[in-house]
């Protein structure tokens, strides 16, 4: 079963033991609403990542913190430092990759949601 997040259509699910990883796509013209919807539904330690349109080896990542969000420019797993972010900063951080992927990624791809098991 996929998370029930308005305006998001998930295309795959992978059980990775300590977490479940979902793949989803963005719809051109609705990226901001989709990013806001997914950020509004995730719980502590869940992460969202989108590809960096300028660097195929990197991604923009946001995770829910105890209070607010944290963001980083990731590269190959644990690279990068998490920085505190407001909701607005988190949306803007992910939006650049979401907008690019809605135009270039195959349908159903462009975003990854990693949900930690409770």
């Amino acid at each position: 079963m996929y998370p029930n997040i308005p305006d998001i259509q998930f295309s795959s699910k992978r059980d990775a033991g300590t977490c479940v990883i979902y793949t989803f796509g963005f719809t051109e013209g609705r990226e901001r609403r989709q990013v806001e919807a997914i950020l509004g539904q995730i719980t502590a330690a869940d992460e969202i990542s989108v590809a960096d349109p300028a660097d195929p080896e990197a991604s923009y990542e946001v995770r829910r913190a105890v209070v607010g969000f944290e963001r980083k420019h990731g590269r190959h797993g644990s690279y990068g430092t998490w920085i505190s972010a407001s909701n607005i900063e988190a949306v803007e951080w992910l939006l650049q990759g979401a907008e690019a992927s809605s135009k270039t990624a195959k349908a159903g791809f462009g975003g990854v949601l990693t949900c930690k098991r409770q």
Side-chain angles (χ1 to χ4, degrees), residues 15-29:
D15 187 332
T18 59
C19 61
V20 180
I21 302 168
Y22 301 94
T23 304
F24 62 94
F26 293 98
T27 305
E28 192 169 357

Side-chain angles (χ1 to χ4, degrees), residues 5 9 11 24 28 30-31 39 42 45 47 56-57 60 64 68-69 75 81 87 89-91 99 101-103 115:
I5 301 175
Q9 292 187 331
S11 55
F24 62 94
E28 192 169 357
R30 296 192 345 223
E31 301 93 345
L39 287 175
I42 63 173
E47 298 178 17
E57 300 280 329
Y60 291 104
R64 171 75 72 174
F69 297 94
R75 170 173 253 170
T81 302
N87 185 62
E89 291 169 326
V91 169
E99 289 174 339
S101 74
S102 73
K103 295 172 183 65
C115 297

Side-chain angles (χ1 to χ4, degrees), residues 49-60:
S49 63
V50 296
D52 177 347
D55 183 352
E57 300 280 329
S59 61
Y60 291 104

